[in-house]
Amino acid sequence: MEDPESRIICLGELPIGVRARIAQIRGGRQLTRRLLSLGLRLGTRITVMHHRGRGVVVSTGDTRVALGGGIAEKLWVEPLSPPVEHDV
């Protein structure tokens, strides 16, 4: 039987276009509050739009949020789908 923890990865490692669910926030209360104010909480489904150095831009619904590398390292996600192809 597969360990549920083995399916989660750091947000910064998630490829562009992959949908994921926020599984863990490995930070304190202040980080959790900041993420809540941005509309990101445990269980939120997100898609990685861009990587900017260690940081990432994610979308949830119609909202895009840029997260720095420090925050991206503290968000652990469960990938839900293969990458989505975008028209350029």
Side-chain angles (χ1 to χ4, degrees):
M1 194 154 139
E2 186 177 324
D3 177 15
E5 295 265 330
S6 67
R7 290 203 47 194
I8 66 171
I9 61 171
C10 174
L11 177 59
E13 297 172 9
L14 196 66
I16 293 171
V18 174
R19 290 187 47 79
R21 180 185 64 82
I22 298 175
Q24 292 181 3
I25 299 172
R26 296 183 180 179
R29 191 179 327 175
Q30 189 171 359
L31 174 61
T32 302
R33 283 186 193 154
R34 177 141 189 237
L35 292 170
L36 284 171
S37 72
L38 295 171
L40 302 174
R41 59 186 52 85
L42 290 178
T44 300
R45 292 173 188 255
I46 59 173
T47 304
V48 173
M49 304 304 291
H50 304 282
H51 285 276
R52 299 282 185 224
R54 289 180 31 231
V56 295
V57 176
V58 299
S59 69
T60 177
D62 293 333
T63 304
R64 288 186 180 194
V65 179
L67 302 171
I71 292 176
E73 290 174 358
K74 294 175 183 170
L75 280 178
W76 288 70
V77 298
E78 177 184 3
L80 299 174
S81 66
V84 176
E85 305 249 345
H86 293 285
D87 292 332
V88 179

